[in-house]
Amino acid sequence: MVVPFSDKTQHEAKAFERTKQSFCLPDGIIYLDGNSLGPLPKGVSERVATAVEEEWGGKLIRAWNEADWIDLPTRVGNRIGAMIGAEPNAVVVADSTSINLQKALAAALQLRPERKVILSDSGNFPTDLYMAQGLIAALGDGHKLKVVSPDEVEDALDDSVAALMLTEVDYRTGRLHSMKALTAAAHAVGALTIWDLAHSAGALPVDLAGCKADFAVGCGYKYLNGGPGAPAFIYGRPDLVDRIKPLQSGWMGHEAPFAFELDYSPAAGADRMRVGTPPILSLTALDAALDVWDGIEIDTVRAASIGLADLLIDEIERRCAGFGLRLASPREGDRRGSQVSFHFDEGYAAIQALQAQGVIGDFRAPDLMRFGITPLYIGEAEIIAAAAGLETVLKDRLWDQPNLKTRAKVT
Ligand SMILES: *Cc1c(COP(=O)(O)O)cnc(C)c1O
């Protein structure tokens, strides 16, 4: 049956009505920073309280088995895996994105011992580059990190490259790489790929298995709304992962942690990418946060996100013309992730002034005002109100106050 377009749109609007009700958002706040820290979903507090009081408090050590804490990293990993096109049991939740990136990179280098180049781009998130630099120094094996501009990546691939390490969506501009094309290009020269999905998971459709991506990592606290410092995830291609010797060879990645053997022997599959004891309370929060996604198609979210981002660009450019703003994001929706950024010389102060208007975005050095688009709880009305707020900030020069120009520790 062909669903008439209007019914479909109504159905989508209904779906987001439900998800919007699923978040605790403070009154009077328009939240355009879910790409940095997702808001609190309603069921989380209760689930965490249950884990604290009934599981930890009541069951004590028995909860590892009775509440199945021990397999929570895989259970939550499978829920995230389903959102990013991973095979079953190919994703585990563990550690932070930085640590997982280093695990994946070490694995890729090990699988290409004769090659010494790690290729990345200047749009990558700095921690990814830092973790590569640290790994190179620790290995002491002559590896080099080669950083090119985002549009030069494909041409820089050659048979010296062991690993292509990229973030799919640029955290500053929102520019989206083609995972499919670049993974194929990397494989054509014999390189392996590591994709950072920090700004992809929960933001747009990802097809890890279909792209034959080798490794991937990403955050639990951005579009997945798992809470501050939520554990991250790591994916390893099932046919590769059994061949790696983990850099961080901890007991939780051992094939038999409770055999307490003196020598390390990795578990089969993605479990070998686990290291130490999982943070059960944070994992429980992330698990509960993922309930919001039940019944929601990521394609629906993507379509709404592109529409809302287009609207934000139009509204800001129309209302704020003549104030020196310049769009930093790709104008074409299919070349963008789920955020919109503008250059503005006084961007930091303007973002502070906008917060005072109840609109929360963020600032990224040197001059970017960044707005995350999250259709689960942001609709057209919020987008228009946010643009109107920015218009007020610029027209009335609300940014031009000394107290708004002193940068806090976290921007
Ligand atoms: C947010 C982000 C990270 C953060 O890593 P943590 O280890 O969780 O602090 C890493 N990579 C990218 C691309 C990010 O956007």
Side-chain angles (χ1 to χ4, degrees), residues 62-100:
R62 296 169 293 185
W64 283 103
N65 292 313
E66 290 176 13
D68 200 20
W69 283 352
I70 193 67
D71 287 329
L72 198 51
T74 308
R75 279 209 310 282
V76 181
N78 276 329
R79 296 185 78 179
I80 296 171
M83 299 174 72
I84 54 175
E87 300 86 344
N89 301 325
V91 174
V92 286
V93 174
D95 306 303
S96 65
T97 304
S98 304
I99 296 290
N100 287 338

Side-chain angles (χ1 to χ4, degrees), residues 87-90 111-112 187 192 208-209 212-215 235-244 269-270 272-273:
E87 300 86 344
N89 301 325
L111 291 165
R112 291 291 179 273
H187 288 171
L192 295 170
L208 288 175
K212 300 190 168 60
D214 302 295
F215 296 97
Y235 164 86
R237 219 177 79 195
D239 61 313
L240 282 183
V241 83
D242 281 333
R243 288 160 47 198
I244 62 173
R272 75 178 54 192
M273 297 185 291

Side-chain angles (χ1 to χ4, degrees), residues 35-36 96-99 124-125 127-128 167 169 171 196-199 219 221-222 230 232 370:
N35 52 327
S36 235
S96 65
T97 304
S98 304
I99 296 290
N124 209 342
F125 193 78
T127 200
D128 295 35
T167 295
V169 177
Y171 73 104
D196 187 332
L197 305 178
H199 295 278
C219 286
Y221 52 79
K222 291 174 178 162
R370 189 173 73 152

Side-chain angles (χ1 to χ4, degrees), residues 272-350:
R272 75 178 54 192
M273 297 185 291
R274 292 174 58 172
V275 182
T277 305
I280 294 302
L281 300 180
S282 300
L283 251 171
T284 299
L286 175 57
D287 190 24
L290 292 173
D291 288 355
V292 172
W293 292 91
D294 288 347
I296 297 289
E297 296 290 334
I298 192 76
D299 289 330
T300 312
V301 173
R302 176 64 170 158
S305 154
I306 290 178
L308 293 172
D310 284 346
L311 178 66
L312 184 62
I313 293 170
D314 285 353
E315 286 286 315
I316 290 182
E317 288 189 335
R318 184 172 64 77
R319 291 167 182 269
C320 307
F323 292 108
L325 264 59
R326 189 162 49 85
L327 182 65
S329 302
R331 201 169 283 281
E332 304 77 15
D334 58 358
R335 293 186 47 224
R336 260 190 335 247
S338 201
Q339 64 169 71
V340 168
S341 311
F342 281 89
H343 296 281
F344 181 53
D345 286 347
E346 293 289 349
Y348 182 78

Side-chain angles (χ1 to χ4, degrees), residues 172 343-345 347-348 363-368 407:
R172 281 176 301 197
H343 296 281
F344 181 53
D345 286 347
Y348 182 78
F363 170 81
R364 284 293 172 263
D367 66 346
L368 285 176
R407 292 192 190 175

